[in-house]
């Protein structure tokens, strides 16, 4: 019986029919989605921290307004994604609990510090650029609520990517010190951005099944390569360099070759030992504790309102 259901489910996926919350789905499909969507939501929320760090220090009012809007967008992305995950039967409180206890992962990239204003440019160009590369295909992911959430997220991410590139472009055309600052930011953010796509395909335990279920539309290595190819061209406009001596165009493959990735660093960051892991989680836990009175007040208000309506 279960086998027949699974076969019918796979046939729907193969025919590109979206899966909706009330449809039957294999338990493993549900769990995989909860894992991926909640990790994605946590990444958006934790991702507010490195940039939030620069809002008060933006160089002018225009830059401050843009950065503020961008960080608010990220909060919105987190909320759509938590809502999408809730349709799979997990509560928001459970997801937060998993984040705060260290059980749920969030993107490795947000465990690196933001040391200068140019980091806002590098994050926009590289981190949001990598996010778009990964997320545009997710607009066609097989689970309806996730796919639909991704449409708006991608439009906003695209604005984020351009504003980052524009910051770097401005710095690259500025004084020698500003050019150096932009180059330094690219040097620090390049390799962690490449790692955002996840482990190599042959070390990625989830890719094969997620591709079969069309949760993922491309493998980690495929997306990483597309990202490298695009950045290797865009850097020419900035007239700066990508910190990889092995980066070069390969006529035969039609792609850019790139140097070895430090996988040890990647696994260390995922295991909680990156430069800012503790700081990031502590900030989220504190925000949760400090917000307890708001949640209690909102619940009390909702209760009283329901009682009044019931009278
Ligand atoms: N940071 C933290 N954890 C990661 C990362 C990363 N960059 N890449 C992979 N992992 C984790 C996976 O979650 C998985 O964890 P598990 O122990 O829970 O299974 C493990 O490493 C093995 O990786 P994969 O088998 O390749 O995992 P998966 O198939 O889920 O692919 C990927 C990882 C590509 C990140 C996928 O989950 C995805 O596309 N997620 C949606 C996009 C997303 O989360 N983006 C977050 C950053 S973008 C932003 O917030 C601006």
């Amino acid at each position: 019986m279960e086998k027949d259901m699974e076969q019918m489910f796979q046939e729907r996926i193969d025919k590109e029919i979206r899966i909706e919350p009330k449809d039957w789905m294999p338990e493993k499909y549900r769990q995989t989605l909860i894992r991926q969507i909640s990790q994605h939501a946590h990444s958006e929320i934790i991702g507010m921290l490195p940039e939030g760090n620069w809002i008060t220090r933006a160089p002018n009012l225009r830059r401050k307004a843009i950065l503020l809007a961008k960080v608010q967008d990220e909060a919105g992305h987190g909320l759509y994604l938590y809502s999408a995950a809730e349709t799979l039967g997990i509560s928001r409180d459970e997801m937060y609990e998993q984040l705060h206890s260290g059980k749920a992962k969030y993107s490795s990239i947000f465990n690196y510090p933001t040391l200068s204003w140019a980091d806002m440019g590098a994050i926009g160009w590289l981190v949001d650029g990598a996010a778009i590369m990964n997320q545009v295909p997710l607009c066609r992911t097989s689970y309806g609520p996730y796919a639909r959430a991704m449409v708006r997220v991608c439009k906003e991410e695209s604005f984020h990517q351009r504003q980052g590139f524009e910051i770097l472009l401005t710095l690259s055309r500025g004084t020698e010190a500003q050019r150096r600052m932009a180059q330094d930011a690219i040097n620090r953010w390049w390799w962690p951005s490449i790692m955002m796509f996840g482990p190599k395909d042959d070390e990625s335990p989830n890719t094969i099944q997620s591709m079969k279920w069309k949760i993922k539309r491309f493998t980690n290595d495929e997306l990483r390569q597309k990202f490298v190819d695009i950045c290797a061209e865009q850097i020419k406009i900035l007239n700066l360099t990508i910190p990889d001596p092995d980066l070069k165009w390969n006529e035969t493959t039609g792609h850019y070759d790139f140097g070895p990735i430090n996988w040890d660093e990647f696994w260390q960051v995922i295991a909680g030992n990156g430069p800012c892991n503790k700081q990031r989680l502590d900030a989220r836990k504190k925000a949760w504790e400090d917000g307890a009175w708001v949640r209690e007040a909102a619940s009390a208000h909702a209760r009283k309102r329901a009682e009044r309506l019931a009278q």
Side-chain angles (χ1 to χ4, degrees):
M1 174 69 178
E2 178 92 1
K3 269 260 165 300
D4 293 348
M5 296 291 277
E6 277 195 29
Q7 197 180 337
M8 273 158 58
F9 177 82
Q10 188 62 48
E11 280 165 15
R12 285 191 67 179
I13 300 265
D14 295 342
K15 285 190 199 144
E16 301 286 334
I17 300 172
R18 287 258 165 89
I19 306 302
E20 296 297 338
K22 289 188 175 159
D23 294 339
W24 185 89
M25 59 186 82
E27 182 55 21
K28 184 126 192 301
Y29 176 85
R30 200 175 69 84
Q31 289 301 339
T32 301
L33 278 169
I34 289 179
R35 180 184 64 75
Q36 177 166 326
I37 302 174
S38 65
Q39 169 182 304
H40 195 164
H42 298 325
S43 304
E44 297 283 356
I45 298 298
I46 298 250
M48 296 165 71
L49 296 169
E51 288 169 293
N53 177 37
W54 278 90
I55 291 172
T56 54
R57 291 177 288 164
N60 58 45
L61 186 60
R62 175 173 165 265
R63 295 288 186 201
K64 191 190 288 254
I66 295 172
L67 188 60
L68 196 57
K70 177 179 191 268
V71 173
Q72 280 177 343
D73 284 352
E74 280 153 9
H77 298 174
L79 299 184
Y80 312 146
L81 287 161
Y82 283 129
S83 300
E86 279 172 322
T87 65
L88 291 155
I90 184 166
S91 72
R92 206 167 286 212
D93 282 0
E94 281 174 275
M95 287 186 269
Y96 286 143
E97 207 284 313
Q98 290 178 354
L99 173 67
H100 298 156
S101 67
K103 182 169 176 262
K105 294 187 169 72
Y106 58 89
S107 183
S108 49
I109 193 74
F110 300 119
N111 293 307
Y112 291 85
T114 43
L115 304 181
S116 79
W117 170 252
D119 288 26
M120 298 305 98
I123 289 182
W125 178 44
L126 296 173
V127 176
D128 295 312
I132 296 172
M133 191 57 77
N134 166 282
Q135 289 172 11
V136 167
L138 290 176
C139 297
R140 293 187 296 115
T141 193
S142 56
Y143 186 58
Y146 191 21
R148 289 188 288 275
M150 276 300 115
V151 174
R152 176 158 175 185
V153 170
C154 285
K155 285 187 183 154
E156 291 174 351
E157 291 292 3
S158 168
F159 154 68
H160 297 173
Q161 193 266 355
R162 280 159 207 220
Q163 68 85 37
F165 190 79
E166 200 251 342
I167 290 176
L168 291 178
L169 191 62
T170 306
L171 291 173
S172 74
R173 291 173 176 170
T175 63
E176 198 37 48
Q178 286 171 322
R179 274 184 68 76
R180 268 204 310 275
M181 193 163 82
Q183 184 63 59
D184 171 63
I186 294 171
N187 291 350
R188 284 181 288 105
W189 288 94
W190 174 252
W191 290 105
S193 301
I194 297 288
M195 294 175 196
M196 274 176 78
F197 294 93
K200 287 186 294 198
D201 291 351
D202 54 12
E203 285 176 16
S204 159
N206 301 296
T207 293
I208 292 178
Q209 184 60 65
S210 288
M211 294 285 285
K212 194 167 174 234
W213 278 332
K214 300 192 181 185
I215 293 175
K216 286 167 90 162
R217 292 283 179 159
F218 294 96
T219 70
N220 300 355
D221 286 336
E222 284 168 349
L223 291 172
R224 189 173 4 253
Q225 183 67 59
K226 279 172 185 254
F227 177 70
V228 171
D229 289 348
I230 285 186
C231 292
E233 289 299 318
Q234 290 178 340
I235 192 81
K236 294 178 189 166
I237 301 168
L238 294 176
N239 206 12
L240 296 168
T241 52
I242 284 178
D244 179 357
D246 297 322
L247 185 78
K248 63 170 182 309
W249 178 250
N250 182 328
E251 239 2 292
T252 322
T253 60
H255 293 288
Y256 277 88
D257 290 338
F258 54 94
I261 295 173
N262 183 346
W263 290 114
D264 185 45
E265 175 181 325
F266 173 76
W267 293 115
Q268 281 295 327
V269 173
I270 287 195
N273 304 323
C276 300
N277 293 59
K278 185 173 177 326
Q279 191 183 331
R280 300 289 184 245
L281 261 192
D282 285 351
R284 283 314 310 157
K285 283 193 257 187
K286 182 171 182 316
W288 176 253
E289 282 154 18
D290 291 351
W293 69 272
V294 180
R295 291 190 301 279
E296 280 159 23
S299 306
H301 176 68
R303 213 172 28 249
K304 278 188 197 157
R305 208 155 170 261
E307 280 165 12
R308 257 203 314 276
L309 285 173
Q311 276 165 13

